[in-house]
């Protein structure tokens, strides 16, 4: 009995997000048809660009890596009941400090340079989001708004640094920092074009899962998220937990920034604030703040991001199509939140039915 | 020549001009957010609404003027359409954020992505064309100094916004509907006992608030900066939420707050106009730093803010 109960809720947790993705695909298809494109051709193009071949799947994985890392920036604090959306700011700050650190230890050998970059990204991103947690805990400042504002401040800081103090005079059209030498760049996983950031992402997600689900620390954090008053009465150090979780969350996003700089762009410039910030929030919500699920969702979303170019070339759809699709997925996923526990299929048949409990889902 | 002759006096003048020009979007979104939050729901998605409003206003102004509608009327049609576009997005937000177990903040984030996606999708075609702009009252024609002229050029839309603030104040205080909204926002249970439909009142508040935010977007694309591009908004829709907290959920104080934020936004360009270029980006970030500083000073973990609707941020 207990077994089947658990089995059913697990099935519910898997089926509802998948159904939500399917429904959003349908809505997106209707949207494409209204915009004058053949929805089935669009689906085919997205599939081909994302997962169609080993070549395109590697592109997907390259995009999935920063998404995995950055999604933890939303997913970890969510366990404390905090909605933090400062992913973009932490990515930018992490990338910026990684470049600064990498350039300052230039010539010390690739290992030292990469280590310095990673540490700089982790620490700066961590402090950035820990500040959000501190403001929340000590000053009662709404964490969603403060993290959003910090995104803008981070981008301004990036523009200031690469346009002034850190500017490479040879970068004319797109102000950039001095480049990281090729020898010091993050390498690729042998036999692929995918950089090691993917491994970082998977490891970070696994550690995060273990930390939250299997340790007393994680249990304490989840208790705070469940009922903060009860947690305080039980003597849990709410402030310390908030700061640590926020630091870890930010450090993951900061590492994502470092990975982007050290493996993809090679320098800091405005490409750092390209779309991963908001997409990673979406990853966290689709994954229902579960770090292991975030790995798979990141791959799916990375594929969707990778298909932006082909939608433009093959179907004459603007590049914002990907943004529209993400918006639709996000809205449908949020609606599906209201369906948990309301669908008759996922319930024990013997339970007495309350009137109005087995409502049909509206789409 | 005139600018040179007034020298550093140009800075406060430019800030004053920038305040009057730049505060209207803040004003409209913050009034919209204020109306929404009074009913107990947060709409974080007004950034998407603002972009959608900016795009649809520009598109309609351009399309209608090129189809024979006189150029004085076309931009006003655009303003109206922007409001309607805002209402459509507001309907989605109002419906979705009131489903059980759905968090209104999360819906707001989704609406930012969705709204800006739709705006960029349909707006692609309107980045190039030039649409007729909203007119302005030139109150500074008595002066020869261009910066004074610029400072006293006032958009009628801004004046409408200034007029809405006290009207909304009166609406909350002295009308039956205003009372309904406050009741729903402070204590949904009590409102239910009064026989008010919480769902309908919140739906109305969110849709009406989004209408105002859409008009704020129209101001961006049809008056200042006065053209449609994907970078037209500098986060006014996001700052609206902070601004309403700062204004203590009071429409008239929203007006003052909007002026203050518009002024903060004008510092960077004003300094640039007298040749201070070195910290341009950092000065441009001053509204965000300013907002954050204000929130740090005014918030407290020990008490809820005075004026805050009781049901705000709770699960019902």
């Amino acid at each position: 009995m207990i077994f089947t109960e658990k089995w059913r809720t697990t099935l519910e947790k898997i089926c509802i997000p998948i159904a939500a993705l399917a429904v959003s695909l349908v809505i997106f298809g209707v949207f494409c048809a209204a915009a004058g494109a053949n929805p089935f051709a669009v689906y085919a193009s997205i599939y081909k660009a994302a997962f169609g071949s080993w070549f395109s799947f590697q592109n997907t994985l390259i995009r999935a890596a920063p998404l995995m890392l950055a999604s933890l920036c939303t997913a970890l604090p969510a366990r404390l009941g905090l909605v933090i959306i400062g992913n973009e700011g932490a990515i930018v700050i992490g990338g910026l400090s990684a470049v600064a650190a990498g350039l300052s230890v230039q010539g010390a050998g690739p290992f030292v340079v990469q280590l310095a970059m990673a540490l700089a990204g982790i620490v700066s991103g961590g402090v950035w989001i820990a500040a959000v947690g501190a403001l929340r805990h000590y000053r009662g400042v709404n964490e969603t708004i403060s993290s959003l504002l910090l995104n803008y401040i981070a981008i301004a800081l990036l523009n200031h640094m690469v346009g002034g103090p850190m500017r490479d005079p040879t970068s004319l059209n797109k102000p950039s920092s001095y480049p990281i030498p090729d020898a010091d760049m993050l390498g690729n996983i042998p036999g692929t074009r995918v950089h090691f950031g993917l491994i970082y992402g998977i490891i970070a997600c696994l550690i995060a899962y273990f930390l939250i689900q299997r340790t007393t620390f994680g249990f304490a954090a989840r208790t705070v998220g469940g009922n903060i008053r009860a947690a305080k009465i039980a003597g849990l150090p709410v402030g310390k937990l908030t700061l640590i979780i926020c630091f870890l969350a930010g450090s993951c996003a900061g590492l994502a920034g470092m990975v982007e700089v050290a493996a993809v762009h090679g320098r800091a410039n405005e490409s750092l604030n390209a779309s991963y910030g908001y997409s990673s929030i979406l990853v966290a919500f689709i994954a229902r703040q579960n770090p292991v699920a975030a790995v798979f969702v990141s791959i799916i979303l990375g594929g969707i991001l990778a298909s932006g170019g082909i939608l433009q070339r093959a179907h004459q759809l603007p590049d914002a199509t990907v943004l529209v699709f993400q918006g639709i997925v996000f809205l449908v996923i949020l609606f599906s939140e209201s369906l948990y526990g309301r669908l008759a299929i996922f319930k024990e048949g013997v339970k007495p039915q309350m009137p109005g409990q087995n409502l049909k889902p509206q789409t | 020549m005139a600018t040179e002759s007034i020298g550093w006096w140009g800075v406060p003048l430019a800030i004053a001009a920038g305040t009057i020009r730049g505060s209207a979007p803040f004003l409209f979104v913050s009034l919209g957010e204020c109306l929404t939050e009074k009913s107990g729901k947060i709409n974080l998605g007004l950034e998407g609404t603002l972009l959608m409003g900016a795009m649809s206003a520009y598109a309609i102004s351009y399309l209608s003027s090129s189809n024979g509608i006189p150029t004085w009327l076309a931009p006003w049609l655009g303003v109206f359409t922007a409001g309607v576009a805002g209402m459509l997005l507001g309907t989605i937000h109002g419906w979705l954020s009131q489903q059980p177990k759905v968090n209104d903040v999360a819906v707001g984030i989704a609406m930012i992505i969705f709204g800006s996606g739709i705006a960029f999708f349909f707006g692609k075609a309107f980045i190039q064309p030039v649409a007729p702009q909203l007119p302005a009252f030139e109150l500074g024609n008595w002066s020869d100094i261009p910066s004074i002229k610029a400072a006293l050029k006032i958009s009628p839309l801004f004046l409408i916004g200034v007029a809405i603030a006290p009207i909304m104040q009166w609406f909350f205080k002295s009308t039956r509907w205003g009372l309904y909204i406050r009741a729903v926002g402070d204590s949904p249970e009590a409102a239910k006992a009064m026989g008010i439909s919480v769902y309908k009142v919140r739906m109305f508040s969110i849709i009406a608030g989004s209408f105002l935010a859409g008009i704020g977007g129209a101001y961006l694309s049809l008056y200042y900066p006065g053209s449609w591009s994907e970078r037209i908004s500098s986060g006014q829709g996001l700052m609206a939420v902070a601004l309403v907290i700062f204004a203590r959920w009071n429409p008239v104080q929203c007006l003052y707050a909007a002026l203050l934020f518009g002024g903060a936004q004008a510092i960077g360009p004003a300094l640039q106009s007298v040749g201070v270029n070195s910290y341009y980006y950092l000065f441009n970030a001053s509204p965000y730093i300013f907002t954050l500083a204000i929130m740090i000073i005014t918030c407290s973990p020990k008490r809820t803010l005075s004026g805050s609707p009781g049901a705000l941020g709770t699960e019902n």
Side-chain angles (χ1 to χ4, degrees):
Chain A
M1 183 72 183
I2 291 164
F3 176 74
T4 45
E5 174 92 32
K6 195 172 179 191
W7 183 77
R8 272 171 199 263
T9 45
T10 312
L11 199 64
E12 186 181 36
K13 276 179 197 158
I14 295 171
C15 286
I16 290 187
I18 291 176
L21 279 178
V23 169
S24 32
L25 265 178
V26 172
I27 297 177
F28 177 64
V30 172
F31 179 82
C32 287
N38 178 355
F40 297 102
V42 172
Y43 294 152
S45 298
I46 292 180
Y47 178 78
K48 224 168 79 187
F51 314 106
S53 65
W54 175 229
F55 180 85
S56 51
F57 188 57
Q58 293 187 73
N59 275 342
T60 298
L61 290 179
I62 290 173
R63 285 176 172 79
L67 284 179
M68 288 174 197
L69 286 166
S71 71
L72 293 175
C73 189
T74 304
L76 285 177
R79 291 305 175 91
L80 285 172
L82 302 180
V83 184
I84 287 186
I85 51 180
N87 314 25
E88 185 149 336
I91 293 174
V92 165
I93 288 297
L96 192 61
S97 353
V99 166
L103 291 176
S104 60
V105 296
Q106 209 167 0
F111 178 75
V112 177
V113 172
Q114 282 171 20
L115 190 69
M117 289 178 77
L119 280 177
I122 288 172
V123 171
S124 60
V127 169
W128 195 254
I129 299 299
V132 173
L135 287 179
R136 167 77 209 192
H137 184 72
Y138 296 109
R139 293 299 311 163
V141 176
N142 181 305
E143 76 284 356
T144 313
I145 299 168
S146 66
S147 59
L148 252 175
L149 291 169
L150 281 174
N151 283 348
Y152 281 90
I153 295 171
I155 292 167
L157 210 58
L158 171 76
N159 285 331
H160 175 71
M161 292 308 277
V162 301
M166 286 171 68
R167 178 166 186 179
D168 175 2
T170 56
S171 61
L172 292 175
N173 293 328
K174 193 176 186 183
S176 305
S177 69
Y178 286 97
I180 304 288
D182 282 345
D184 292 340
M185 295 275 285
L186 200 57
N188 289 345
I189 300 168
T192 67
R193 293 186 300 113
V194 184
H195 55 71
F196 275 107
L198 182 68
I199 309 282
Y200 294 177
I202 294 173
I203 291 176
C205 286
L206 291 177
I207 292 176
Y209 180 81
F210 182 78
L211 184 72
I212 292 292
Q213 300 292 350
R214 297 277 181 271
T215 62
T216 37
F217 174 79
F219 180 70
R222 283 183 286 144
T223 311
V224 173
N227 186 339
I228 188 159
R229 203 172 287 169
K232 274 182 184 157
I233 290 168
L236 289 173
V238 176
K240 211 189 256 176
L241 281 168
T242 308
L243 287 185
I244 294 176
I245 292 268
C246 287
F247 180 86
L248 292 175
S251 62
C252 292
L255 188 60
M258 175 267 172
V259 163
E260 278 301 285
V261 165
V264 182
H265 305 302
R267 43 172 82 203
N269 57 32
E270 63 179 10
S271 316
L272 260 180
N273 53 3
S275 81
Y276 288 123
Y278 281 110
S279 302
S280 60
I281 300 169
L282 177 55
V283 169
F285 273 93
I286 299 179
R288 303 198 79 218
Q289 325 294 358
N290 179 328
V292 172
V295 171
F296 298 100
V297 176
S298 296
I299 294 174
I300 296 176
L301 216 65
I304 292 170
L305 289 182
S307 65
I310 204 155
L311 290 182
Q312 215 169 346
R313 284 191 303 277
H315 301 280
Q316 281 80 46
L317 291 168
D319 46 0
T321 313
V322 175
L323 204 57
V324 174
F325 187 32
Q326 290 186 54
I328 293 173
V329 173
F330 207 153
L331 291 172
V332 177
I333 284 284
L334 286 174
F335 175 72
S336 75
E337 290 281 311
S338 69
L339 298 179
Y340 287 91
R342 275 168 71 184
L343 297 179
I345 333 165
F346 298 116
K347 276 192 205 145
E348 290 297 320
V350 288
K351 273 187 193 164
Q353 293 271 321
M354 300 291 281
Q357 205 172 20
N358 51 349
L359 290 174
K360 285 219 170 111
Q362 306 156 306
T363 44
Chain B
M1 185 209 84
T3 6
E4 278 166 27
S5 67
I6 58 170
W8 278 87
W9 280 106
V11 176
L13 257 178
I15 292 178
T19 306
I20 291 173
R21 267 202 314 267
S23 51
F26 284 113
L27 180 57
F28 278 98
V29 281
S30 63
L31 287 175
E33 185 69 38
C34 183
L35 181 58
T36 305
E37 289 193 14
K38 275 280 185 190
S39 76
K41 282 279 168 193
I42 295 177
N43 187 353
L44 202 61
L46 287 187
E47 179 70 14
T49 315
L50 194 79
L51 283 166
M52 188 65 195
M55 188 282 294
S56 45
Y58 200 76
I60 291 298
S61 177
Y62 168 72
L63 290 176
S64 56
S65 76
S66 55
N67 283 313
I69 306 245
T71 45
W72 62 268
L73 182 63
W76 291 106
L77 279 179
V79 171
F80 179 73
T81 320
V84 174
M87 289 166 83
L88 291 178
L89 289 180
T91 312
I92 300 178
H93 185 90
W95 170 75
L96 192 53
S97 66
Q98 296 197 66
Q99 298 301 312
K101 288 191 246 173
V102 176
N103 178 328
D104 48 356
V105 171
V107 177
I109 304 165
M111 289 303 292
I112 295 176
I113 299 180
F114 182 70
S116 51
I118 296 271
F120 297 164
F121 185 96
F122 291 108
K124 196 87 185 172
F126 300 102
I127 291 179
Q128 289 295 333
V130 178
Q133 297 285 303
L134 285 168
F137 298 125
E138 314 248 354
L139 302 179
N141 280 344
W142 48 270
S143 168
D144 292 331
I145 302 171
S147 43
I148 291 185
K149 270 190 187 174
L152 288 173
K153 202 171 147 192
I154 293 174
S155 162
L157 211 51
F158 173 66
L159 296 178
I160 293 174
V162 171
I164 291 176
I167 293 174
M168 193 185 278
Q169 177 108 320
W170 168 81
F171 169 78
F172 283 136
K173 222 175 191 169
S174 317
T175 66
R176 179 178 290 261
W177 266 90
L179 176 69
Y180 288 172
I181 292 175
R182 283 188 294 136
V184 167
D186 272 327
S187 166
E189 298 305 319
K192 253 180 235 161
M194 281 165 73
I196 304 170
S197 160
V198 175
Y199 181 86
K200 278 185 193 156
V201 169
R202 286 187 170 163
M203 196 71 174
F204 164 80
S205 305
I206 293 171
I207 292 177
S210 303
F211 177 83
L212 289 175
I215 290 185
Y219 182 95
L220 284 177
S221 65
L222 291 180
Y223 185 73
Y224 180 75
S227 66
W228 159 250
S229 78
E230 296 188 355
R231 295 182 165 202
I232 192 165
S233 158
S234 41
Q236 284 98 337
L238 302 171
M239 280 187 279
V241 181
L243 212 140
V244 170
I245 297 174
F246 176 51
R248 293 282 190 270
W249 293 271
N250 177 325
V252 171
Q253 287 181 24
C254 280
L255 170 62
Y256 304 142
L259 289 172
L260 208 60
F261 278 60
Q265 202 180 31
I267 294 174
L271 285 176
Q272 202 187 22
S273 72
V274 292
V276 180
N277 275 323
S278 40
Y279 293 98
Y280 177 70
Y281 288 110
L282 293 187
F283 279 120
N284 270 356
S286 50
Y288 317 114
I289 299 170
F290 188 61
T291 312
L292 197 60
I294 281 175
M295 289 189 62
I296 294 171
I297 295 165
T298 55
C299 290
S300 161
K302 295 197 183 66
R303 55 185 161 81
T304 46
L305 296 168
S306 60
S308 164
L312 204 62
T314 55
E315 281 278 322
N316 51 26

